[in-house]
Amino acid sequence: MIAGNWKMNKEIGAAKSFVMELLPLIEEITGAEILICPPFTVLHPLYELLADSQVHLGAQDVFWEKNGAYTGEISAAMLIDAGCRYVIIGHSERRQVMGETDLNVNKKLITASTAGMIPILCIGETLEERKAQQAEKVVSQQLDQALYGLSLEEGEKLVIAYEPIWAIGTGMNASGQDAQQMSRFIRQRLGQKYGPGAAQAVKVLYGGSVKEENIEEFMQQEDIDGALIGGASLNPVSLANIVRLVGNG
Ligand code: 13P
């Protein structure tokens, strides 16, 4: 799975041009699940353009209430209505800049999953936590708290993105080996919670300065099923090149 997180970038015109340039570049490629997570305003315009393509749409956030007096928020039903099935939850930028807590993340995750969406849960440690040998502890706490109360029924889908905060937007990606070690740890933890079958069915992505030059290093790892990509997903040629390196054709 190659997922692009556009963050707060691209208005409708630029987003449509991106898609028109991307689609012919990836037309012949098979074997890669492709996802774009643009800003809310662009979801529906892109849905119409992507309807017959192999590119899925995701949102970057969701609120936990169904509707009502929550100025500025977007519900799962609204996202589904706009044409998207996936939703990023708990990105470190929301945790750090918007003060989102593990409890908020948990409520969003349960809401999205109950509504039939596929959550992409983001977890990851800071540089200080890694240096202090606390990375696994932090990640397992984030995982446990985010998934609290979630019963992963058979066939129900969940994506976990391991995004070490120090690797996001810095050009300083984790090594393939470190990313693999944490992905294995995450999968083992999921195995303890939900059983080995369900843990195997969860997609674990790596995110943090992924680009054409390093995608293969991550995809070679046993427990890494794909990547969540920020900067390099904003350019259709670089995204298409990454998809080509991951898929066939
Ligand atoms: P970059 O690929 O720009 O480092 O961003 C990663 C990210 O935050 C994806 O969610």
Side-chain angles (χ1 to χ4, degrees), residues 5 7 91 93 122 163 167-170 207-210 228-232:
N5 174 9
K7 309 189 179 183
H91 193 281
E93 287 151 14
C122 298
E163 298 206 315
I168 295 177
T170 58
S209 298
V210 173
L228 181 56
I229 306 171

Side-chain angles (χ1 to χ4, degrees), residues 1 8 36 47 118 185 188 193-194:
M1 168 180 261
M8 197 172 71
I36 294 177
Y47 170 71
I118 304 172
F185 175 76
Q188 283 169 346
K193 264 183 188 314
Y194 300 112

Side-chain angles (χ1 to χ4, degrees), residues 111-123:
T111 302
S113 183
T114 307
M117 299 191 78
I118 304 172
I120 303 175
L121 168 66
C122 298
I123 50 179

Side-chain angles (χ1 to χ4, degrees), residues 121-141:
L121 168 66
C122 298
I123 50 179
E125 81 286 356
T126 63
L127 192 55
E128 293 67 38
E129 288 160 347
R130 174 154 287 264
K131 282 186 178 156
Q133 319 284 331
Q134 298 292 306
E136 289 192 350
K137 187 172 154 220
V138 168
V139 162
S140 66
Q141 278 172 357

